[in-house]
Amino acid sequence: MDEIKKPIYVTQPDLPDLQEFIPYLEKIWKNKILTNNGPFHQQLEKEMAGFLDVPYISLFANGTLALVTALQVLGITGEVITTPYSFVATSHSLLWNNIKPVFVDIEPEFCNLDSKKIEAAITSKTTAILPVHVYGNPCKVEHINKIAKNYGLKVIYDAAHAFGVKYKGQSICKFGDLSVLSFHATKVFNTMEGGAVVCHDAATKKQIDYLKNFGFVGETKVVAPGINSKMNEMQAALGLLQLKKHNLNIEKRSTLAQTYRKELQKIKGISFLPEPYNTKSNFAYFPIFVDKNKFGMSRDELYEKLKQNGIYGRRYFYPLISELTNYKKLNSADPANLQVAKRVAEQVICLPIYPGLNKKEIKKIAGILNK
Ligand SMILES: *Cc1c(COP(=O)(O)O)cnc(C)c1O
């Protein structure tokens, strides 16, 4: 196929050389340990904790089960304040725990949960805040921490987009009581499927590890109705190789993001997010926002036009979680309560960004936007 005509998707999962992976597979085939905290699982927990510079990490089969388990280990019940501007798994993890999501609007600068609006949503039933570092950009962690302290609430960050992000020189996963990562194929760091919970103390890690293995402590004792959400050895082995490539991948993404900024800055009616403050970004996504009046075309018209040209962006996040069947009847799902989120969800398109993309392709995308 003509290089320039092959479809460009919002992301393309990055994989190591297959040849590099074979020796890991041979080891698995030889020692017959496929899962249950095997040697690669243990090694990846250790190396990833070091790489991210966090004290404790527990690996999971995927990010959704990691979220569900994070809520359980802290004993979260009642109501949890969260954002409607996220992937549906954020709120689903609450429903899976019989917790009522309470939606609070986002702020327009980075599209994260608006910390200034959290307090007004707190009731006697509120037990926690579940914000999302949307697109990998840090939430207002200091403010959220202060509110949580004042009201005795727990904070669980959905950090599914934020692998490797640093804020004020520290891992973004060091903030809050727990942080949850996703290593799904579409994420910045992937183990095909996978996820993790980052915590701050050994006792909590132990509980998390029980919960991801049916609640088993040893061979015969079961301490909780845990689930099976263990990362297997193939995923962990892949993760070890992916870690080695991560820094280079982020550099490539950074260059591409800069190219987008340069190419798109003069297009009337197209805006993008500022660079986050005091942050080492992972450049996980490149969202643009279409102002129909100024651009002369709606977001959906542009989305279709890009598709016709072989560019498959994604409308992350549209529709809002609060507009979906299982959520729209909640009082907090009232669009009047979520005006910023509603506007942003109607304007956003995430453009393709991944290490295998090149500047020429970005210029082509910018060219389509410019026409
Ligand atoms: C991807 C994602 C999840 C779910 O992670 P999986 O590993 O796909 O289960 C949760 N929250 C957000 C914000 C995500 O983008």
Side-chain angles (χ1 to χ4, degrees), residues 230-241:
K230 305 180 297 286
M231 178 180 277
N232 70 44
E233 286 293 278
M234 284 229 261
Q235 290 172 288
L238 179 60
L240 287 167
L241 286 171

Side-chain angles (χ1 to χ4, degrees), residues 62-64 67 86-87 89-90 132 158 160-161 182 184 187 194:
N62 62 61
T64 303
L67 274 171
S86 181
F87 182 60
T90 309
V132 181
D158 181 337
H161 301 176
S182 165
H184 182 258
K187 302 298 204 278

